[in-house]
Amino acid sequence: MSDTTTASGILMHGAYEISADPARIDAARVHHWLSTDAYWALGRPREKQDLAIAGSLNYGAYHRATGEMGAYARVVTDYATFAWLCDVYVDRPARGTGLGTALVTAVRDALEPYGLRRILLATADAHGVYEKVGFTPLQNPDKWMALGQQ
């Protein structure tokens, strides 16, 4: 399945279009997906998810015929040096179609003009998806530290 980009910058992948239009985000659906089916966000309160969406750059993949959201990704960034890609989720019926790879590719390509020094993410089980788009393991993980729940 090949991806194409429209003149307005919307990436098309099969039956889906990928957009960063914040008005299109289905916050209730995103919350349901993440709080019930994403190991990293199980039980996340709706209020927390809404705050995360409000403070982030959000991407959705929308079925062209129905408008229904089929995938989501969130980016926290300063638009200058750093971005954190998180909350990437593909609806179960859309998995295995390459939609996740297309979504992450669209995010990577949208961030490219900012000249960010690094884009980070954490995953327990989707390394192959991210490797296809150019992500690699940290070269020096011993230099990184975290505060809070890990």
Side-chain angles (χ1 to χ4, degrees):
M1 185 175 312
S2 65
D3 297 336
T4 57
T5 304
T6 67
S8 60
I10 294 174
L11 178 74
M12 307 300 256
H13 176 79
Y16 291 89
E17 62 182 32
I18 298 170
S19 170
D21 180 354
R24 296 184 72 182
I25 298 296
D26 182 344
R29 187 173 183 93
V30 170
H31 175 256
H32 175 75
W33 282 340
L34 297 179
S35 68
T36 65
D37 194 38
Y39 67 85
W40 65 91
L42 292 175
R44 182 182 289 168
R46 172 70 191 264
E47 301 78 29
K48 285 282 188 188
Q49 186 61 51
D50 288 348
L51 284 170
I53 289 171
S56 301
L57 176 59
N58 301 278
Y59 290 83
Y62 305 92
H63 195 277
R64 289 187 289 188
T66 66
E68 184 174 279
M69 185 178 235
Y72 173 76
R74 183 167 71 86
V75 177
V76 180
T77 184
D78 62 8
Y79 296 98
T81 63
F82 176 80
W84 172 43
L85 174 60
C86 54
D87 287 346
V88 178
Y89 185 91
V90 177
D91 197 12
R92 288 191 176 271
R95 291 182 187 175
T97 65
L99 184 57
T101 300
L103 178 61
V104 174
T105 299
V107 170
R108 179 203 62 197
D109 292 352
L111 294 174
E112 196 275 329
Y114 298 105
L116 303 174
R117 181 171 179 174
R118 73 179 44 91
I119 301 171
L120 292 181
L121 63 85
T123 185
D125 59 0
H127 295 79
V129 171
Y130 300 108
E131 287 169 348
K132 290 177 191 174
V133 186
F135 283 88
T136 60
L138 291 174
Q139 290 181 3
N140 299 300
D142 56 314
K143 289 185 177 182
W144 294 88
M145 299 179 72
L147 177 64
Q149 191 177 20
Q150 293 188 42

